[in-house]
Amino acid sequence: MRFYTKLIVCLLLCFLSMPLCAQISCLNASRNIRIGLVSQGLPDTWKIEPSSGFIEIFDQNKRQSVYSGKAAEIVITAMKGGKMKVAVDARKSLYYFSNELLFSAVGRPPINLKVRAGGRKSFSYRGSIAIFPQSGGLRGVNVVDIEDYLKSVVPSEIFNRAPDAAQQAQTIAARTYAIRNLSRHSDKDNFQLCDKVHCQVYSGIAREIKAASKAVIETAGKILIYGNSPANTVYHSNCGGYIIDSRAAWKGASVPYLIGHFDGISGHKPFCYYGKLIKTNSLKGKLPAPQKKIRIAQLSSAAKASTHKNFGHRVGMCQDGAIGMAAIGYGFRQILAFYYPGTQLATMRYAVPTGKPVEDRPIVVASLPQTTPVSLAAPPNPTQVNALRRSGKTRKPGSIKGALRQISENGSGYTAVGLRKLFWTPGEPGISRNIY
Ligand SMILES: [Zn+2]
Ligand SMILES: [Zn+2]
């Protein structure tokens, strides 16, 4: 009986899984998005294994179930004339489907699907898998909750051991990028985003890590908006010290929040310089204290030279810079306000279980940029960071090594927890080896 109840719930969910649209006003329509598994090509066969041992196969066009019940392995094979056949555990065969079929694991959690395209290696996905004939082969699409999608995308896009605030900023940038680009592929493709660099790299459950999943949950539904649309939250690996204007990189119209500026606090080395040090386990140089106001300085033509090697297009958020900012105590709001000045943080309705919609009054994280300083709220733990730095009599005050060690010894607190996790996990490789 319980199984059938779950089946009904699952069917209802299938009916409700309408594509998200890119307008802010209807972002609450559904959480499910369609990710084309284009990295798997267009093979003749797909094999699907439901983790629960039960499968629901649903004809998307006829809106009816074609099979539901026990299944260890389902093989979908292309037939002549744009049709496909489905074999369930080699005991039951279903023929002549030209419509999209949606495969969903049902039953006891964990509910996911192990998928093998042709002779390739298998991948496991959350959500459902849709298969349909296309250009002589079979296309696979992962129909997945956007929040689950992000759990896999974020670790593919940023350093695994990046501090919490950098993970959160990256998550919001990735979520906004996904929402903004839902119409990137044509209707003919029949999916919204692909799983390659073209959209954002996505390889399913195997790529998920705890720190990123935590960041996804903590920032659930949050995106950056400018005016009434999702902002163009482009990001790159390392700007080399100076973020460049989007016009300098790609021509086109000026984007107010993608302006050129120094990546840091004036008088100090750029944030990404420290971020790079953190990633390469090299602890040298002075760590700047977080400041309440960060001046978004316009660049003079003489100041555009890189201070170190850059990597990426240098527009928008510098990921190593975000890591550097997070390491000295800035939160994700400040990181995003610094790299996308003038944007606002909004929460999509789907992320709010009950009560009033929150994006009617977006949280303002930054005022408009230009030459005046951008006002920012105090970082989560600046007092602690500064107090620790000042009280470090036995150690060199101001050095990264000293400051980080003091923070780790001080115990609880946002910064301390983030850093300890990053640097002092016993038995884990990383910077800890250089510290002790
Ligand atoms: Zn794409
Ligand atoms: Zn940078």
Side-chain angles (χ1 to χ4, degrees):
M1 193 62 196
R2 278 185 61 199
F3 173 70
Y4 287 105
T5 317
K6 277 172 187 165
L7 251 185
I8 292 164
V9 172
C10 178
L11 277 176
L12 269 173
L13 287 176
C14 293
F15 275 112
L16 291 173
S17 60
M18 310 273 282
L20 269 175
C21 76
Q23 297 298 312
I24 291 283
S25 56
C26 61
L27 283 177
N28 56 340
S30 165
R31 297 168 60 125
N32 284 338
I33 53 172
R34 293 172 62 89
I35 312 297
L37 306 175
V38 299
S39 61
Q40 306 296 329
L42 281 167
D44 285 341
T45 59
W46 286 81
K47 284 181 185 162
I48 296 177
E49 293 173 34
S51 58
S52 57
F54 288 92
I55 196 90
E56 164 70 30
I57 309 175
F58 192 79
D59 186 318
Q60 292 275 62
N61 283 45
K62 292 184 180 163
R63 310 301 300 166
Q64 64 183 29
S65 175
V66 294
Y67 177 86
S68 65
K70 265 190 173 179
E73 186 188 65
I74 298 104
V75 182
I76 306 107
T77 316
M79 299 171 75
K80 278 180 187 166
K83 306 260 183 205
M84 52 186 181
K85 71 170 182 181
V86 179
V88 181
D89 291 341
R91 63 180 159 79
K92 185 175 174 65
S93 290
L94 306 153
Y95 288 95
Y96 312 119
F97 296 101
S98 51
N99 297 332
E100 173 177 314
L101 294 177
L102 188 74
F103 299 82
S104 309
V106 286
R108 200 174 286 177
I111 294 179
N112 53 58
L113 297 162
K114 193 169 155 191
V115 175
R116 183 188 286 263
R120 288 163 183 254
K121 93 179 221 266
S122 58
F123 287 88
S124 285
Y125 296 99
R126 295 177 186 273
S128 305
I129 296 291
I131 306 278
F132 53 88
Q134 194 177 66
S135 314
L138 299 178
R139 172 68 77 206
V141 168
N142 185 199
V143 183
V144 63
D145 183 315
I146 185 168
E147 300 293 314
D148 284 338
Y149 162 76
L150 288 167
K151 286 175 189 167
S152 172
V153 166
V154 173
S156 297
E157 300 288 341
I158 196 168
F159 179 52
N160 275 3
R161 285 179 290 123
D164 291 356
Q167 298 267 4
Q168 291 161 341
Q170 176 63 52
T171 304
I172 293 167
R175 186 185 288 110
T176 310
Y177 190 85
I179 294 293
R180 185 183 161 92
N181 288 292
L182 287 178
S183 322
R184 194 154 205 213
H185 286 267
S186 68
D187 287 351
K188 215 175 71 194
D189 277 346
N190 202 11
F191 55 79
Q192 290 161 308
L193 299 169
C194 69
D195 61 350
K196 291 177 142 180
V197 185
H198 175 259
C199 290
Q200 289 182 121
V201 176
Y202 171 68
S203 40
I205 295 170
R207 194 65 187 86
E208 293 179 8
I209 60 161
K210 264 191 195 156
S213 298
K214 192 167 142 268
V216 171
I217 293 163
E218 285 162 349
T219 65
K222 284 192 168 57
I223 59 166
L224 280 187
I225 57 170
Y226 187 79
N228 251 340
S229 357
N232 188 10
T233 49
V234 285
Y235 48 85
H236 58 275
S237 180
N238 194 304
C239 74
Y242 294 93
I243 307 285
I244 63 168
D245 194 292
S246 62
R247 281 172 303 178
W250 304 311
K251 308 274 188 298
S254 163
V255 182
Y257 52 90
L258 298 179
I259 50 165
H261 63 89
F262 175 63
D263 184 14
I265 301 165
S266 54
H268 292 274
K269 288 197 164 151
F271 292 134
C272 49
Y273 170 80
Y274 298 106
K276 210 168 177 174
L277 290 185
I278 288 166
K279 281 167 72 178
T280 55
N281 293 0
S282 156
L283 293 170
K284 285 182 278 183
K286 302 271 183 193
L287 195 71
Q291 297 184 355
K292 285 190 179 176
K293 285 184 179 178
I294 302 172
R295 183 180 285 274
I296 306 270
Q298 295 274 6
L299 288 189
S300 67
S301 55
K304 284 179 185 168
S306 296
T307 63
H308 57 274
K309 199 171 184 299
N310 59 63
F311 188 76
H313 52 60
R314 304 176 67 194
V315 182
M317 184 169 74
C318 171
Q319 291 174 310
D320 283 351
I323 291 170
M325 284 185 86
I328 57 173
Y330 286 111
F332 69 85
R333 284 182 171 80
Q334 287 132 322
I335 296 172
L336 295 168
F338 182 67
Y339 291 113
Y340 307 108
T343 58
Q344 294 178 303
L345 199 57
T347 307
M348 291 187 289
R349 283 192 177 86
Y350 73 68
V352 185
T354 52
K356 292 174 203 156
V358 289
E359 77 272 35
D360 289 349
R361 293 185 63 186
I363 308 154
V364 179
V365 294
S367 52
L368 279 168
Q370 305 317 317
T371 47
T372 50
V374 174
S375 288
L376 296 165
N381 228 336
T383 325
Q384 184 193 25
V385 175
N386 287 334
L388 287 167
R389 198 187 307 279
R390 278 197 301 276
S391 68
K393 284 175 189 164
T394 52
R395 296 157 193 117
K396 256 193 251 166
S399 73
I400 289 184
K401 193 170 171 177
L404 294 184
R405 187 187 282 181
Q406 286 158 30
I407 291 164
S408 94
E409 285 167 0
N410 192 52
S412 65
Y414 176 87
T415 313
V417 171
L419 289 169
R420 176 174 292 161
K421 198 168 164 196
L422 184 63
F423 301 109
W424 283 275
T425 309
E428 288 279 314
I431 289 173
S432 58
R433 275 188 274 164
N434 294 346
I435 283 167
Y436 293 109

